[in-house]
Amino acid sequence: MGSRNIDIDQSFGSVYKALDLKAQRKAMRSAMRRESNRLRKKAVDNLRSSGIGPGTGHNLSKGIRARVYPEKYGAGFMVTVKPHKANRKTRQGEASMHRNRFYDDHKGARGKTLKGTKRALPILAWAEEGTDLRKTKTKTKVFTRKRKGHATGRMRRYGFMRKTDNQAEQTVEQNLFRDFQNNIERAARKQGLL
């Protein structure tokens, strides 16, 4: 394949077909990664302008993650704030989970109690969609007075991810194709086809 030269004026399709499958996939994944990072930056900007987080002393934007799908699932990517736990026993590698200043004891691997670990909560997932009004349960004890439950509040809907989705609706396909085309041409030049 390397000995055959292709005219630069030929259509994109012929250049694409001249490349091997590995180079085609690499070009597509690179375009997906670049566009997902672009969208993540927009989501971070929308998060900062939404007004959530100034007072927490933590960088909440770390909870917004971009991921390119593995090849077995086809081409695609996602930008999300939904939590994903890598290891449920030790709570290591939690993505999109915000660790607050309150400490919590929990059972780790082999049933050991791990003391003084920060509690991880999906704050950004709650902020994106908002939460329902929460209440404490009514507590009753024998021979004591009844304690009534009370409302503990709700989180309003910030919608920074939906705003990002609306902003990117027009440009994602154009950006993807432009990046993909540039990657294909770069790969063809590297293999000496152009």
mmCIF file with all atom_site columns, all heavy atoms in Angstrom, residues 78-98:
data_model
loop_
_atom_site.group_PDB
_atom_site.id
_atom_site.type_symbol
_atom_site.label_atom_id
_atom_site.label_alt_id
_atom_site.label_comp_id
_atom_site.label_asym_id
_atom_site.label_entity_id
_atom_site.label_seq_id
_atom_site.pdbx_PDB_ins_code
_atom_site.Cartn_x
_atom_site.Cartn_y
_atom_site.Cartn_z
_atom_site.occupancy
_atom_site.B_iso_or_equiv
_atom_site.pdbx_formal_charge
_atom_site.auth_seq_id
_atom_site.auth_comp_id
_atom_site.auth_asym_id
_atom_site.auth_atom_id
_atom_site.pdbx_PDB_model_num
ATOM 1   N N   . MET A 1 78 ? -18.915 10.174 25.524 1.00 0.00 ? 78 MET A N   1
ATOM 2   C CA  . MET A 1 78 ? -19.883 10.776 26.438 1.00 0.00 ? 78 MET A CA  1
ATOM 3   C C   . MET A 1 78 ? -19.175 11.755 27.352 1.00 0.00 ? 78 MET A C   1
ATOM 4   O O   . MET A 1 78 ? -17.999 11.585 27.680 1.00 0.00 ? 78 MET A O   1
ATOM 5   C CB  . MET A 1 78 ? -20.614 9.714  27.253 1.00 0.00 ? 78 MET A CB  1
ATOM 6   C CG  . MET A 1 78 ? -19.782 9.016  28.276 1.00 0.00 ? 78 MET A CG  1
ATOM 7   S SD  . MET A 1 78 ? -20.803 7.939  29.277 1.00 0.00 ? 78 MET A SD  1
ATOM 8   C CE  . MET A 1 78 ? -19.573 7.192  30.321 1.00 0.00 ? 78 MET A CE  1
ATOM 9   N N   . VAL A 1 79 ? -19.917 12.782 27.723 1.00 0.00 ? 79 VAL A N   1
ATOM 10  C CA  . VAL A 1 79 ? -19.487 13.722 28.754 1.00 0.00 ? 79 VAL A CA  1
ATOM 11  C C   . VAL A 1 79 ? -20.564 13.645 29.814 1.00 0.00 ? 79 VAL A C   1
ATOM 12  O O   . VAL A 1 79 ? -21.740 13.865 29.527 1.00 0.00 ? 79 VAL A O   1
ATOM 13  C CB  . VAL A 1 79 ? -19.353 15.151 28.187 1.00 0.00 ? 79 VAL A CB  1
ATOM 14  C CG1 . VAL A 1 79 ? -18.956 16.120 29.285 1.00 0.00 ? 79 VAL A CG1 1
ATOM 15  C CG2 . VAL A 1 79 ? -18.345 15.188 27.058 1.00 0.00 ? 79 VAL A CG2 1
ATOM 16  N N   . THR A 1 80 ? -20.196 13.293 31.032 1.00 0.00 ? 80 THR A N   1
ATOM 17  C CA  . THR A 1 80 ? -21.209 13.004 32.046 1.00 0.00 ? 80 THR A CA  1
ATOM 18  C C   . THR A 1 80 ? -20.777 13.418 33.441 1.00 0.00 ? 80 THR A C   1
ATOM 19  O O   . THR A 1 80 ? -19.588 13.612 33.698 1.00 0.00 ? 80 THR A O   1
ATOM 20  C CB  . THR A 1 80 ? -21.548 11.493 32.031 1.00 0.00 ? 80 THR A CB  1
ATOM 21  O OG1 . THR A 1 80 ? -22.608 11.226 32.934 1.00 0.00 ? 80 THR A OG1 1
ATOM 22  C CG2 . THR A 1 80 ? -20.347 10.660 32.418 1.00 0.00 ? 80 THR A CG2 1
ATOM 23  N N   . VAL A 1 81 ? -21.761 13.537 34.323 1.00 0.00 ? 81 VAL A N   1
ATOM 24  C CA  . VAL A 1 81 ? -21.519 13.752 35.744 1.00 0.00 ? 81 VAL A CA  1
ATOM 25  C C   . VAL A 1 81 ? -22.071 12.582 36.552 1.00 0.00 ? 81 VAL A C   1
ATOM 26  O O   . VAL A 1 81 ? -22.044 12.604 37.774 1.00 0.00 ? 81 VAL A O   1
ATOM 27  C CB  . VAL A 1 81 ? -22.159 15.070 36.246 1.00 0.00 ? 81 VAL A CB  1
ATOM 28  C CG1 . VAL A 1 81 ? -21.467 16.255 35.635 1.00 0.00 ? 81 VAL A CG1 1
ATOM 29  C CG2 . VAL A 1 81 ? -23.650 15.111 35.979 1.00 0.00 ? 81 VAL A CG2 1
ATOM 30  N N   . LYS A 1 82 ? -22.593 11.567 35.865 1.00 0.00 ? 82 LYS A N   1
ATOM 31  C CA  . LYS A 1 82 ? -23.141 10.398 36.558 1.00 0.00 ? 82 LYS A CA  1
ATOM 32  C C   . LYS A 1 82 ? -22.002 9.626  37.211 1.00 0.00 ? 82 LYS A C   1
ATOM 33  O O   . LYS A 1 82 ? -20.955 9.423  36.608 1.00 0.00 ? 82 LYS A O   1
ATOM 34  C CB  . LYS A 1 82 ? -23.877 9.485  35.582 1.00 0.00 ? 82 LYS A CB  1
ATOM 35  C CG  . LYS A 1 82 ? -25.051 10.136 34.895 1.00 0.00 ? 82 LYS A CG  1
ATOM 36  C CD  . LYS A 1 82 ? -26.186 10.364 35.836 1.00 0.00 ? 82 LYS A CD  1
ATOM 37  C CE  . LYS A 1 82 ? -27.365 10.987 35.098 1.00 0.00 ? 82 LYS A CE  1
ATOM 38  N NZ  . LYS A 1 82 ? -28.409 11.395 35.989 1.00 0.00 ? 82 LYS A NZ  1
ATOM 39  N N   . PRO A 1 83 ? -22.198 9.182  38.451 1.00 0.00 ? 83 PRO A N   1
ATOM 40  C CA  . PRO A 1 83 ? -21.102 8.501  39.153 1.00 0.00 ? 83 PRO A CA  1
ATOM 41  C C   . PRO A 1 83 ? -20.813 7.122  38.586 1.00 0.00 ? 83 PRO A C   1
ATOM 42  O O   . PRO A 1 83 ? -21.689 6.449  38.072 1.00 0.00 ? 83 PRO A O   1
ATOM 43  C CB  . PRO A 1 83 ? -21.622 8.404  40.590 1.00 0.00 ? 83 PRO A CB  1
ATOM 44  C CG  . PRO A 1 83 ? -23.090 8.501  40.483 1.00 0.00 ? 83 PRO A CG  1
ATOM 45  C CD  . PRO A 1 83 ? -23.387 9.335  39.277 1.00 0.00 ? 83 PRO A CD  1
ATOM 46  N N   . HIS A 1 84 ? -19.548 6.744  38.684 1.00 0.00 ? 84 HIS A N   1
ATOM 47  C CA  . HIS A 1 84 ? -19.099 5.418  38.273 1.00 0.00 ? 84 HIS A CA  1
ATOM 48  C C   . HIS A 1 84 ? -18.064 4.953  39.272 1.00 0.00 ? 84 HIS A C   1
ATOM 49  O O   . HIS A 1 84 ? -17.065 5.634  39.493 1.00 0.00 ? 84 HIS A O   1
ATOM 50  C CB  . HIS A 1 84 ? -18.479 5.476  36.875 1.00 0.00 ? 84 HIS A CB  1
ATOM 51  C CG  . HIS A 1 84 ? -17.782 4.211  36.483 1.00 0.00 ? 84 HIS A CG  1
ATOM 52  N ND1 . HIS A 1 84 ? -18.475 3.064  36.170 1.00 0.00 ? 84 HIS A ND1 1
ATOM 53  C CD2 . HIS A 1 84 ? -16.473 3.910  36.373 1.00 0.00 ? 84 HIS A CD2 1
ATOM 54  C CE1 . HIS A 1 84 ? -17.599 2.111  35.876 1.00 0.00 ? 84 HIS A CE1 1
ATOM 55  N NE2 . HIS A 1 84 ? -16.390 2.600  35.992 1.00 0.00 ? 84 HIS A NE2 1
ATOM 56  N N   . LYS A 1 85 ? -18.320 3.817  39.917 1.00 0.00 ? 85 LYS A N   1
ATOM 57  C CA  . LYS A 1 85 ? -17.388 3.300  40.916 1.00 0.00 ? 85 LYS A CA  1
ATOM 58  C C   . LYS A 1 85 ? -16.539 2.209  40.294 1.00 0.00 ? 85 LYS A C   1
ATOM 59  O O   . LYS A 1 85 ? -17.053 1.253  39.740 1.00 0.00 ? 85 LYS A O   1
ATOM 60  C CB  . LYS A 1 85 ? -18.147 2.742  42.118 1.00 0.00 ? 85 LYS A CB  1
ATOM 61  C CG  . LYS A 1 85 ? -18.827 3.803  42.939 1.00 0.00 ? 85 LYS A CG  1
ATOM 62  C CD  . LYS A 1 85 ? -19.478 3.191  44.154 1.00 0.00 ? 85 LYS A CD  1
ATOM 63  C CE  . LYS A 1 85 ? -20.211 4.248  44.959 1.00 0.00 ? 85 LYS A CE  1
ATOM 64  N NZ  . LYS A 1 85 ? -20.903 3.698  46.102 1.00 0.00 ? 85 LYS A NZ  1
ATOM 65  N N   . ALA A 1 86 ? -15.239 2.354  40.399 1.00 0.00 ? 86 ALA A N   1
ATOM 66  C CA  . ALA A 1 86 ? -14.325 1.357  39.859 1.00 0.00 ? 86 ALA A CA  1
ATOM 67  C C   . ALA A 1 86 ? -14.226 0.151  40.789 1.00 0.00 ? 86 ALA A C   1
ATOM 68  O O   . ALA A 1 86 ? -14.188 -0.968 40.341 1.00 0.00 ? 86 ALA A O   1
ATOM 69  C CB  . ALA A 1 86 ? -12.952 1.971  39.641 1.00 0.00 ? 86 ALA A CB  1
ATOM 70  N N   . ASN A 1 87 ? -14.169 0.381  42.100 1.00 0.00 ? 87 ASN A N   1
ATOM 71  C CA  . ASN A 1 87 ? -14.036 -0.703 43.060 1.00 0.00 ? 87 ASN A CA  1
ATOM 72  C C   . ASN A 1 87 ? -14.988 -0.442 44.218 1.00 0.00 ? 87 ASN A C   1
ATOM 73  O O   . ASN A 1 87 ? -14.773 0.466  45.011 1.00 0.00 ? 87 ASN A O   1
ATOM 74  C CB  . ASN A 1 87 ? -12.595 -0.802 43.562 1.00 0.00 ? 87 ASN A CB  1
ATOM 75  C CG  . ASN A 1 87 ? -12.366 -2.038 44.398 1.00 0.00 ? 87 ASN A CG  1
ATOM 76  O OD1 . ASN A 1 87 ? -13.297 -2.578 44.996 1.00 0.00 ? 87 ASN A OD1 1
ATOM 77  N ND2 . ASN A 1 87 ? -11.140 -2.495 44.439 1.00 0.00 ? 87 ASN A ND2 1
ATOM 78  N N   . ARG A 1 88 ? -16.035 -1.221 44.314 1.00 0.00 ? 88 ARG A N   1
ATOM 79  C CA  . ARG A 1 88 ? -17.063 -0.967 45.327 1.00 0.00 ? 88 ARG A CA  1
ATOM 80  C C   . ARG A 1 88 ? -16.629 -1.350 46.738 1.00 0.00 ? 88 ARG A C   1
ATOM 81  O O   . ARG A 1 88 ? -17.151 -0.835 47.711 1.00 0.00 ? 88 ARG A O   1
ATOM 82  C CB  . ARG A 1 88 ? -18.339 -1.716 44.956 1.00 0.00 ? 88 ARG A CB  1
ATOM 83  C CG  . ARG A 1 88 ? -18.979 -1.127 43.731 1.00 0.00 ? 88 ARG A CG  1
ATOM 84  C CD  . ARG A 1 88 ? -20.266 -1.792 43.403 1.00 0.00 ? 88 ARG A CD  1
ATOM 85  N NE  . ARG A 1 88 ? -20.788 -1.182 42.172 1.00 0.00 ? 88 ARG A NE  1
ATOM 86  C CZ  . ARG A 1 88 ? -21.730 -1.688 41.460 1.00 0.00 ? 88 ARG A CZ  1
ATOM 87  N NH1 . ARG A 1 88 ? -22.308 -2.809 41.817 1.00 0.00 ? 88 ARG A NH1 1
ATOM 88  N NH2 . ARG A 1 88 ? -22.154 -1.098 40.374 1.00 0.00 ? 88 ARG A NH2 1
ATOM 89  N N   . LYS A 1 89 ? -15.663 -2.264 46.853 1.00 0.00 ? 89 LYS A N   1
ATOM 90  C CA  . LYS A 1 89 ? -15.243 -2.693 48.183 1.00 0.00 ? 89 LYS A CA  1
ATOM 91  C C   . LYS A 1 89 ? -14.398 -1.629 48.875 1.00 0.00 ? 89 LYS A C   1
ATOM 92  O O   . LYS A 1 89 ? -14.602 -1.315 50.036 1.00 0.00 ? 89 LYS A O   1
ATOM 93  C CB  . LYS A 1 89 ? -14.473 -4.006 48.101 1.00 0.00 ? 89 LYS A CB  1
ATOM 94  C CG  . LYS A 1 89 ? -15.346 -5.200 47.788 1.00 0.00 ? 89 LYS A CG  1
ATOM 95  C CD  . LYS A 1 89 ? -14.540 -6.468 47.785 1.00 0.00 ? 89 LYS A CD  1
ATOM 96  C CE  . LYS A 1 89 ? -15.423 -7.659 47.472 1.00 0.00 ? 89 LYS A CE  1
ATOM 97  N NZ  . LYS A 1 89 ? -14.655 -8.900 47.396 1.00 0.00 ? 89 LYS A NZ  1
ATOM 98  N N   . THR A 1 90 ? -13.427 -1.088 48.153 1.00 0.00 ? 90 THR A N   1
ATOM 99  C CA  . THR A 1 90 ? -12.507 -0.135 48.780 1.00 0.00 ? 90 THR A CA  1
ATOM 100 C C   . THR A 1 90 ? -12.839 1.319  48.443 1.00 0.00 ? 90 THR A C   1
ATOM 101 O O   . THR A 1 90 ? -12.198 2.226  48.949 1.00 0.00 ? 90 THR A O   1
ATOM 102 C CB  . THR A 1 90 ? -11.061 -0.409 48.333 1.00 0.00 ? 90 THR A CB  1
ATOM 103 O OG1 . THR A 1 90 ? -10.988 -0.275 46.916 1.00 0.00 ? 90 THR A OG1 1
ATOM 104 C CG2 . THR A 1 90 ? -10.612 -1.782 48.757 1.00 0.00 ? 90 THR A CG2 1
ATOM 105 N N   . ARG A 1 91 ? -13.810 1.525  47.569 1.00 0.00 ? 91 ARG A N   1
ATOM 106 C CA  . ARG A 1 91 ? -14.212 2.862  47.110 1.00 0.00 ? 91 ARG A CA  1
ATOM 107 C C   . ARG A 1 91 ? -13.064 3.621  46.458 1.00 0.00 ? 91 ARG A C   1
ATOM 108 O O   . ARG A 1 91 ? -13.002 4.833  46.510 1.00 0.00 ? 91 ARG A O   1
ATOM 109 C CB  . ARG A 1 91 ? -14.789 3.698  48.264 1.00 0.00 ? 91 ARG A CB  1
ATOM 110 C CG  . ARG A 1 91 ? -16.088 3.152  48.806 1.00 0.00 ? 91 ARG A CG  1
ATOM 111 C CD  . ARG A 1 91 ? -16.677 4.120  49.791 1.00 0.00 ? 91 ARG A CD  1
ATOM 112 N NE  . ARG A 1 91 ? -17.906 3.587  50.357 1.00 0.00 ? 91 ARG A NE  1
ATOM 113 C CZ  . ARG A 1 91 ? -18.645 4.249  51.208 1.00 0.00 ? 91 ARG A CZ  1
ATOM 114 N NH1 . ARG A 1 91 ? -18.310 5.437  51.600 1.00 0.00 ? 91 ARG A NH1 1
ATOM 115 N NH2 . ARG A 1 91 ? -19.748 3.717  51.680 1.00 0.00 ? 91 ARG A NH2 1
ATOM 116 N N   . GLN A 1 92 ? -12.150 2.902  45.842 1.00 0.00 ? 92 GLN A N   1
ATOM 117 C CA  . GLN A 1 92 ? -11.050 3.536  45.125 1.00 0.00 ? 92 GLN A CA  1
ATOM 118 C C   . GLN A 1 92 ? -11.462 3.768  43.682 1.00 0.00 ? 92 GLN A C   1
ATOM 119 O O   . GLN A 1 92 ? -12.158 2.957  43.091 1.00 0.00 ? 92 GLN A O   1
ATOM 120 C CB  . GLN A 1 92 ? -9.803  2.646  45.167 1.00 0.00 ? 92 GLN A CB  1
ATOM 121 C CG  . GLN A 1 92 ? -9.231  2.460  46.543 1.00 0.00 ? 92 GLN A CG  1
ATOM 122 C CD  . GLN A 1 92 ? -8.747  3.759  47.153 1.00 0.00 ? 92 GLN A CD  1
ATOM 123 O OE1 . GLN A 1 92 ? -8.083  4.535  46.500 1.00 0.00 ? 92 GLN A OE1 1
ATOM 124 N NE2 . GLN A 1 92 ? -9.091  4.000  48.394 1.00 0.00 ? 92 GLN A NE2 1
ATOM 125 N N   . GLY A 1 93 ? -10.997 4.855  43.093 1.00 0.00 ? 93 GLY A N   1
ATOM 126 C CA  . GLY A 1 93 ? -11.253 5.127  41.695 1.00 0.00 ? 93 GLY A CA  1
ATOM 127 C C   . GLY A 1 93 ? -12.657 5.605  41.400 1.00 0.00 ? 93 GLY A C   1
ATOM 128 O O   . GLY A 1 93 ? -13.176 5.361  40.325 1.00 0.00 ? 93 GLY A O   1
ATOM 129 N N   . GLU A 1 94 ? -13.306 6.258  42.342 1.00 0.00 ? 94 GLU A N   1
ATOM 130 C CA  . GLU A 1 94 ? -14.656 6.742  42.099 1.00 0.00 ? 94 GLU A CA  1
ATOM 131 C C   . GLU A 1 94 ? -14.610 7.949  41.180 1.00 0.00 ? 94 GLU A C   1
ATOM 132 O O   . GLU A 1 94 ? -13.944 8.936  41.473 1.00 0.00 ? 94 GLU A O   1
ATOM 133 C CB  . GLU A 1 94 ? -15.340 7.116  43.415 1.00 0.00 ? 94 GLU A CB  1
ATOM 134 C CG  . GLU A 1 94 ? -15.605 5.913  44.291 1.00 0.00 ? 94 GLU A CG  1
ATOM 135 C CD  . GLU A 1 94 ? -16.077 6.303  45.673 1.00 0.00 ? 94 GLU A CD  1
ATOM 136 O OE1 . GLU A 1 94 ? -15.738 7.412  46.116 1.00 0.00 ? 94 GLU A OE1 1
ATOM 137 O OE2 . GLU A 1 94 ? -16.775 5.506  46.295 1.00 0.00 ? 94 GLU A OE2 1
ATOM 138 N N   . ALA A 1 95 ? -15.321 7.863  40.077 1.00 0.00 ? 95 ALA A N   1
ATOM 139 C CA  . ALA A 1 95 ? -15.359 8.967  39.120 1.00 0.00 ? 95 ALA A CA  1
ATOM 140 C C   . ALA A 1 95 ? -16.656 9.739  39.300 1.00 0.00 ? 95 ALA A C   1
ATOM 141 O O   . ALA A 1 95 ? -17.705 9.160  39.566 1.00 0.00 ? 95 ALA A O   1
ATOM 142 C CB  . ALA A 1 95 ? -15.259 8.430  37.701 1.00 0.00 ? 95 ALA A CB  1
ATOM 143 N N   . SER A 1 96 ? -16.601 11.038 39.154 1.00 0.00 ? 96 SER A N   1
ATOM 144 C CA  . SER A 1 96 ? -17.740 11.953 39.305 1.00 0.00 ? 96 SER A CA  1
ATOM 145 C C   . SER A 1 96 ? -18.313 11.954 40.721 1.00 0.00 ? 96 SER A C   1
ATOM 146 O O   . SER A 1 96 ? -19.470 12.298 40.923 1.00 0.00 ? 96 SER A O   1
ATOM 147 C CB  . SER A 1 96 ? -18.847 11.633 38.301 1.00 0.00 ? 96 SER A CB  1
ATOM 148 O OG  . SER A 1 96 ? -18.388 11.834 37.004 1.00 0.00 ? 96 SER A OG  1
ATOM 149 N N   . MET A 1 97 ? -17.520 11.548 41.702 1.00 0.00 ? 97 MET A N   1
ATOM 150 C CA  . MET A 1 97 ? -17.959 11.579 43.090 1.00 0.00 ? 97 MET A CA  1
ATOM 151 C C   . MET A 1 97 ? -17.165 12.664 43.818 1.00 0.00 ? 97 MET A C   1
ATOM 152 O O   . MET A 1 97 ? -15.945 12.716 43.724 1.00 0.00 ? 97 MET A O   1
ATOM 153 C CB  . MET A 1 97 ? -17.724 10.230 43.771 1.00 0.00 ? 97 MET A CB  1
ATOM 154 C CG  . MET A 1 97 ? -18.476 9.088  43.146 1.00 0.00 ? 97 MET A CG  1
ATOM 155 S SD  . MET A 1 97 ? -20.246 9.130  43.449 1.00 0.00 ? 97 MET A SD  1
ATOM 156 C CE  . MET A 1 97 ? -20.328 8.289  45.000 1.00 0.00 ? 97 MET A CE  1
ATOM 157 N N   . HIS A 1 98 ? -17.862 13.517 44.527 1.00 0.00 ? 98 HIS A N   1
ATOM 158 C CA  . HIS A 1 98 ? -17.226 14.606 45.269 1.00 0.00 ? 98 HIS A CA  1
ATOM 159 C C   . HIS A 1 98 ? -17.007 14.165 46.710 1.00 0.00 ? 98 HIS A C   1
ATOM 160 O O   . HIS A 1 98 ? -17.941 13.735 47.378 1.00 0.00 ? 98 HIS A O   1
ATOM 161 C CB  . HIS A 1 98 ? -18.123 15.839 45.222 1.00 0.00 ? 98 HIS A CB  1
ATOM 162 C CG  . HIS A 1 98 ? -17.690 16.931 46.149 1.00 0.00 ? 98 HIS A CG  1
ATOM 163 N ND1 . HIS A 1 98 ? -16.520 17.624 45.959 1.00 0.00 ? 98 HIS A ND1 1
ATOM 164 C CD2 . HIS A 1 98 ? -18.256 17.422 47.271 1.00 0.00 ? 98 HIS A CD2 1
ATOM 165 C CE1 . HIS A 1 98 ? -16.395 18.516 46.937 1.00 0.00 ? 98 HIS A CE1 1
ATOM 166 N NE2 . HIS A 1 98 ? -17.431 18.407 47.737 1.00 0.00 ? 98 HIS A NE2 1
#
